[in-house]
Every structure is written in structure tokens, then in C-alpha cells.
Amino acid sequence: MTKPSVAVIGAGFSGLCAAIQVKKQLGIDAQVFEFSSDVGGTWYANTYPGAACDIPSHLYSFSFELNPDWSHHYSPQNQIYDYLRGVARKYRIYEQTRFNTEVLSIQWIEERLQWRLQYRSVRANTEEVHTEYYTYVFAGLGPLRIPNVPEQLRNFEGKTVHTAEWDASLDVTDKVVAVVGSGASAIQAIPELRKTCKRLINYQRTPAWTVPRDQFKYGRIFKFLLRYMPFLIRLYRNAIFFQHELYYFALGYHDSLFGRFAQRLVRFATAYRLKRVGRPDLIPVLMPKYQAGCKRIAKSENYLEALSRPNVTVIPSAVKETRGNIIVDKNGHEEKVDVLVLATGFNVEGFLGNLKIIGKDGVALDEKWSKEYPETYKGTSIHGFPNFFLLLAAGVGLGHNSVVVMSECQVDYSIRCMRYAINHRLSAMEPKLAAQHTYTTELKKKYKGTVWKSGCASWYLDQDGEPFGLWPSTVSQFWWNTFNPGYNNFITYK
């Protein structure tokens, strides 16, 4: 039996992980398709001022490629991007990747028991579409990928930039800047933008919970020890991992004694930080009314402090409309601004972006999921879509730990399925519908009693208010859950 062919869509963390492990464990060189001109995914695309990860770098990295040279506990965007480029070079993923290439659709062809993949070059002057066939497809599209641009902000006549599509030539010196949003990108960008702009106005429909980062710089001796005593870097990573696992118990059991204590602590810290900089008047404006963790808690040691500065104005209102370069909020207040920064997040329900995924019997996954709860089996496989593995999508996001670890669990699960199929001379596998229903039912049960069901609007929820975007337990539980694929729960094809 010849080796199966493998396509990987996306060259961010999850896509690189899939391509590398398929090569290491199965000896298969996957064909990687990447829309951008380089690897890195979100860390290639997001270059706004202050961009960084809110998970410690020694945990937000591959377990098989530990890096002793992180400069800080939380490293900036450029270091994460360089790390991913270095990993891709080491495993020769560049040679396997078609950059500037958009995958338009993948369709399961029953007669061939393969996926038909259609793609085009985004740089060529032609609209020519190419077709290739693959036995397996990994979709490492990433959930935080499709910028959300609210309709009422699209007619602004001044300079507009989304944090996910930052213009490196933008100079805000002595300009009036409006930042719309209060999510992670706003929390990171505002402290940097306000340093040079004349005035910064932050429109917040809903304030966000923030806690200080335990940020510090790694010394030369510490990095030396990590490099030449490898067990130390593994021990250090594991310590950070289990520290973050403990955070789940404040989120998963938010109404417990420990959970209530954590809620009070976050509220006290927020009020204390604003009082310390002489702005107790901002406490009712910046203190969220929902439970901490219902939306993702952001980490920043200078965000609240930046909002307290004299050249920063917080408007606790959504934007109603724009007229020319004037922004009008829901209360009718008008502000004339030079630059509009959209920190308005991503279209998370568009997990699949513009990619059309058509499974058995012509079923389109995006249409199916737009009408019903997005069901998967073990967060990765989908009934009706054989030999297809969806990474970091529905039911796999996190509010407390590293999604890189989650993607590694998914890839390991996928490779176990592939190895089983190869060893048993199977052409294809897909989860049984009953097994998928059972998995989804159990997943929904896990949400009960968690902070994500406590009554706030977030990207974790679908249009019916049901949590769907994240894994409602510990990462250790997800690892155990995916460790055994449960081969009797699959339909197999010879």
C-alpha cells in the first residue's frame, strides 16, 4: 500500500505542528498551503504596537521544540514569529509550502476516497484554479483569523486600520486617535499608541477584566542553565503548565468558595490599580458587570494605567455611526478624529473563513454549522467528512491555558487515526454519528456551572447563546480525551 498523501491548510502553530509530526511520525511530506507570504499565522499577521502573547512563552511553544532563548516571560510578537520561522526552517517546512496560495475548496470524492483540493495563487494576474487530490486534509485555519469590521464603521473617511491588518507606515504622532474595542488587541495597543498621539479616545461597549502580567526578563545565567541542562527547561515548562491548569478551577467552578474568592480578588485588584493612579472615577466605567472569565481575562500591567493618563478619554458606549471623520456614539456624543483603530476582534463563527468544505453527499460544513450546533468528535473529526482533521476550531479554544498544547493533542490524535488506517489497510475513516452526538452531549454538560454560562455575550457563544468556542475543562482532560481515539466509534472504508 502506497503512502497516503496529506494536505495541510495554514502555516501557523497548528498547521506547522501537523506538517512536522506527519513527517516525524509517519515519514510523509505533507503539502502545506499558506495564504500569506510566510509562516506564522496570527503572529505573522498581527504586528500592531504592543502585540504579544498573554501565555508565558515557555508554554506557548511546541513541546518538541523548547526554546531557552525567550527574552521575557511573555515575549513580543516578533520573537514568536522568529521562533516559528526557525522551527519551519529546521524541519524544512518551507520546501513543502506553497505561499501566497488560497485554498478555495476541498470536496470529498466518494469514487476516489480522496479530497479534491482547489487552490489559486493570490499574486498571479490570472484567476486560474488548480486541482489536486489528497488522502488526508488538516485544516489549521485558526479561530482568530477573520477580522470583524462593524458595518457602522466602514464609512469613516479618515485613516482606518484594523489591529489584525496593521499598517506599519502609520504614524500617530500628534494625531487624535480613536480605538474601538476593549479586547486583547486594544488592551495591548492602547498603552503604546497613547505615548505618541495627541489624544486617544477609547470606545468601550463593555469593559474587559484585566489582571497584571507577572512579566520579567530572563537573565543570561538562567537561559544558560535551560540550554545546557535540558531537564530544567522541561521542568520549568511543566510548572507553568500546571500553574495555568489551576486557573481552570476558578472558571469551571466559579460559584465555589475558591471561585468566589478569585472573583473578589480580581475586583479588588482592578479598583486598587485605578485608585493608585488617582482615578477612582474610572472604577464604575472600567469595572465589568459580568463575572471575571465569562469573557477571556486579559493580562496587562499597564492598560488601566494608560486609560488613566491625561491624554486618554474613555467613552463607555458603542459607536452609532461615522460622518466623514466624525464618530458619533450611541449617546449622540461626537468626536472628530484623525485615525480610527479597529480593535473589534474576529469573526469567530466564521471558523472556516472563505474555505468551502464539502463532505459526503454534498454537505457543506459552513452551511451545516450555520443552522445547528457545531458538532465534532473529540474536537477534531467530523461525521460525514472522512480523513479530515479540523484544528483549533469549535470546542477547542481555551480561557486559561495554552492552545498550542491543545493543537499538539489534536495532531497526535489525528496521527493515531492515520496510523491505524495505514496498519489496517483502510482508505478512510470518519466518526459514527452516534459517537459524535454522545461526545457533543457530554461536552455541553461540561459547560453547566462554568463561568461561560454565567450570562455575558462573548465569542465563546453561538447565536443561540450556547457556548461552543472553547473546551470547558482542563487541558490534561483534553489530552486524556484524545489519547485514545476509540476506533470502534469510526466508520471505516477499505
Side-chain angles (χ1 to χ4, degrees):
M1 187 175 180
T2 58
K3 284 185 179 179
S5 54
V6 179
V8 176
I9 306 172
F13 262 107
S14 57
L16 288 177
C17 181
I20 291 168
Q21 292 303 329
V22 164
K23 177 184 284 190
K24 287 179 66 175
Q25 298 190 43
L26 300 177
I28 300 171
D29 286 349
Q31 179 61 62
V32 182
F33 296 86
E34 172 55 47
F35 185 84
S36 304
S37 58
D38 202 355
V39 301
T42 188
W43 299 108
Y44 168 81
N46 285 270
T47 59
Y48 59 84
C53 186
D54 60 1
I55 295 292
S57 297
H58 280 284
L59 183 57
Y60 194 79
S61 50
F62 293 125
S63 64
F64 54 88
E65 279 300 322
L66 302 183
N67 176 27
D69 294 322
W70 295 115
S71 66
H72 291 76
H73 196 47
Y74 299 89
S75 295
Q77 171 270 337
N78 64 308
Q79 287 189 28
I80 302 172
Y81 173 45
D82 287 343
Y83 165 79
L84 289 171
R85 294 176 70 196
V87 171
R89 284 193 294 268
K90 176 177 178 178
Y91 290 96
R92 303 182 66 84
I93 302 302
Y94 277 99
E95 290 82 347
Q96 299 170 219
T97 305
R98 292 188 185 131
F99 294 105
N100 303 303
T101 300
E102 179 183 16
V103 178
L104 302 171
S105 68
I106 61 171
Q107 182 170 2
W108 180 251
I109 306 301
E110 194 73 31
E111 296 77 22
R112 298 178 61 125
L113 293 178
Q114 284 187 314
W115 287 94
R116 183 178 67 198
L117 184 148
Q118 295 187 308
Y119 65 95
R120 68 177 183 89
S121 170
V122 297
R123 284 197 170 176
N125 293 325
T126 175
E127 291 294 317
E128 182 181 2
V129 175
H130 303 274
T131 300
E132 293 178 1
Y133 292 87
Y134 293 92
T135 314
Y136 293 93
V137 175
F138 287 82
L141 305 172
L144 305 182
R145 191 174 55 90
I146 310 298
N148 174 40
V149 181
E151 190 65 36
Q152 67 270 30
L153 300 175
R154 295 183 179 181
N155 295 322
F156 181 72
E157 294 181 2
K159 174 68 175 179
T160 301
V161 60
H162 195 287
T163 52
E165 297 172 333
W166 193 259
D167 181 356
S169 66
L170 177 63
D171 183 6
V172 299
T173 304
D174 296 328
K175 290 183 169 61
V176 178
V177 178
V179 178
V180 179
S182 58
S185 59
I187 288 166
Q188 293 180 343
I190 285 173
E192 298 301 317
L193 293 173
R194 73 104 205 138
K195 292 177 182 177
T196 55
C197 70
K198 178 180 180 181
R199 182 172 175 234
L200 188 147
I201 306 161
N202 180 211
Y203 291 89
Q204 296 193 12
R205 184 175 55 187
T206 308
W209 286 111
T210 62
V211 296
R213 294 186 301 179
D214 48 333
Q215 175 70 306
F216 54 86
K217 186 176 181 179
Y218 289 118
R220 287 182 297 173
I221 294 176
F222 184 74
K223 290 193 282 188
F224 176 87
L225 292 174
L226 295 186
R227 176 174 293 280
Y228 294 104
M229 301 178 71
F231 75 93
L232 284 180
I233 194 170
R234 182 71 59 184
L235 186 65
Y236 184 57
R237 175 188 171 94
N238 290 344
I240 299 172
F241 172 79
F242 286 109
Q243 173 195 1
H244 282 72
E245 285 288 77
L246 290 175
Y247 296 158
Y248 168 75
F249 295 98
L251 304 174
Y253 303 93
H254 76 105
D255 205 30
S256 65
L257 182 64
F258 176 70
R260 291 196 299 271
F261 172 76
Q263 293 287 335
R264 287 196 296 270
L265 185 63
V266 174
R267 289 180 180 277
F268 171 81
T270 300
Y272 171 77
R273 290 171 65 186
L274 291 170
K275 289 177 182 176
R276 186 178 60 182
V277 293
R279 294 299 304 271
D281 58 302
L282 287 178
I283 293 175
V285 175
L286 298 177
M287 185 82 76
K289 295 179 172 57
Y290 58 87
Q291 296 283 303
C294 186
K295 297 183 180 184
R296 186 178 176 90
I297 299 174
K299 294 181 181 179
S300 174
E301 65 277 18
N302 56 9
Y303 168 67
L304 295 178
E305 291 74 8
L307 294 180
S308 304
R309 305 292 286 193
N311 68 329
V312 178
T313 301
V314 180
I315 297 181
S317 172
V319 174
K320 178 183 178 182
E321 62 179 346
T322 60
R323 295 197 297 266
N325 63 343
I326 294 175
I327 297 178
V328 184
D329 66 33
K330 287 290 181 69
N331 297 319
H333 179 75
E334 298 183 0
E335 291 282 359
K336 185 177 181 180
V337 303
D338 303 306
V339 179
L340 174 61
V341 177
L342 302 179
T344 46
F346 301 86
N347 174 17
V348 180
E349 285 199 69
F351 274 123
L352 311 176
N354 297 323
L355 176 62
K356 201 73 174 177
I357 302 172
I358 303 172
K360 291 167 55 180
D361 303 320
V363 175
L365 187 57
D366 60 338
E367 295 176 9
K368 179 180 176 64
W369 279 4
S370 68
K371 299 172 184 175
E372 58 189 56
Y373 191 88
E375 290 195 357
T376 68
Y377 177 70
K378 295 187 181 287
T380 310
S381 300
I382 305 168
H383 173 75
F385 297 80
N387 290 2
F388 175 69
F389 305 112
L390 184 59
L391 307 177
L392 294 185
V396 184
L398 288 177
H400 72 285
N401 211 322
S402 172
V403 293
V404 178
V405 182
M406 297 289 279
S407 68
E408 287 194 46
C409 292
Q410 288 187 285
V411 169
D412 287 342
Y413 156 87
S414 304
I415 289 176
R416 289 187 188 101
C417 291
M418 293 171 67
R419 184 179 288 117
Y420 178 86
I422 292 170
N423 292 341
H424 290 78
R425 297 184 174 275
L426 302 175
S427 297
M429 297 171 59
E430 65 169 303
K432 296 176 181 177
L433 184 59
Q436 182 169 288
H437 282 331
T438 300
Y439 176 84
T440 303
T441 300
E442 291 300 315
L443 185 74
K444 288 182 174 180
K445 286 181 181 178
K446 285 187 173 71
Y447 286 119
K448 294 180 179 178
T450 69
V451 72
W452 304 295
K453 291 276 284 185
S454 63
C456 72
S458 78
W459 69 264
Y460 298 147
L461 309 180
D462 64 13
Q463 63 270 24
D464 298 320
E466 288 294 322
F468 81 106
L470 82 170
W471 170 248
S473 187
T474 62
V475 177
S476 303
Q477 180 63 44
F478 188 78
W479 170 83
W480 180 251
N481 195 57
T482 54
F483 182 76
N484 179 10
Y487 302 114
N488 59 324
N489 290 325
F490 284 84
I491 300 168
T492 58
Y493 301 82
K494 287 289 187 180

